[in-house]
Amino acid sequence: MTYRDHIIRELVATERKYVQDMENLHDLKKTLLDKAVIPGDVAYQIFLNIHGILDFQRRFLIRVETTNSMPQSAQQWGSIFIMNEAAFEIYQPFIANQRKAAQVANQVFDKIQTAGHPVACDFNTLDGFLLKPMQRLAKYPLLLKVCQSI
């Protein structure tokens, strides 16, 4: 396996895992609302536009998988990011709200924990999930830079 293959494999695998994590975070929000554990406005303060982010990431994962299935000579990894440049703006409100979301989640965590959801097993786990979108966006340029250099 070449270094490039390793980087591409990491990109694809971590993208799959990231979508799964966003699905878990979205599922926590849905569970909290379905069980009326916290009011809708509080859930919105914590999870803001997680549904839109999840929707975008699912479509983006399809593009990643499609690119990965092409012959190496036809793979244009940068183009899927360029094509989706404007769509990545969906992250702006979530990331700008991240600190406030963590504070609100911490204030009502005793209620959140009663939902019995795996993401809410402890506050650090939930806080880690709330940080994932910012961490993922920071990782894309690094992966692309490595892909361009090989």
Side-chain angles (χ1 to χ4, degrees):
M1 174 187 298
T2 68
Y3 183 63
R4 180 189 186 282
D5 293 338
H6 175 73
I7 296 299
I8 298 302
R9 181 179 284 175
E10 178 185 349
L11 172 65
V12 173
T14 58
E15 192 65 26
R16 290 175 185 149
K17 174 72 169 107
Y18 175 64
V19 169
Q20 182 182 31
D21 289 345
M22 291 301 94
E23 287 172 343
N24 284 327
L25 194 58
H26 182 266
D27 185 60
L28 172 60
K29 178 185 178 185
K30 185 178 180 319
T31 300
L32 293 172
L33 292 173
D34 289 350
K35 292 183 176 183
V37 172
I38 57 175
D41 63 325
V42 174
Y44 181 76
Q45 289 176 30
I46 297 169
F47 301 99
L48 204 60
N49 62 337
I50 192 66
H51 179 74
I53 290 171
L54 176 58
D55 181 56
F56 165 70
Q57 283 304 141
R58 284 175 174 156
R59 288 182 281 117
F60 188 72
L61 176 58
I62 291 168
R63 290 179 182 100
V64 167
E65 297 277 9
T66 301
T67 301
N68 190 45
S69 70
M70 295 176 176
Q72 184 175 331
S73 60
Q75 294 177 351
Q76 298 293 319
W77 287 102
S79 68
I80 64 173
F81 288 90
I82 293 168
M83 286 182 351
N84 290 283
E85 184 176 0
F88 275 106
E89 291 177 10
I90 195 157
Y91 277 91
Q92 288 178 349
F94 192 89
I95 290 172
N97 186 60
Q98 195 283 322
R99 186 170 296 163
K100 181 180 179 186
Q103 290 171 344
V104 172
N106 194 22
Q107 291 168 357
V108 296
F109 188 71
D110 56 330
K111 293 177 184 174
I112 292 172
Q113 204 168 21
T114 65
H117 195 280
V119 173
C121 63
D122 62 62
F123 179 72
N124 288 333
T125 300
L126 175 57
D127 190 43
F129 271 79
L130 292 171
L131 281 169
K132 286 182 185 282
M134 187 169 17
Q135 293 169 333
R136 188 64 185 169
L137 279 187
K139 184 144 185 159
Y140 286 138
L142 300 173
L143 289 169
L144 279 173
K145 186 175 182 178
V146 172
C147 284
Q148 289 175 341
S149 68
I150 48 179

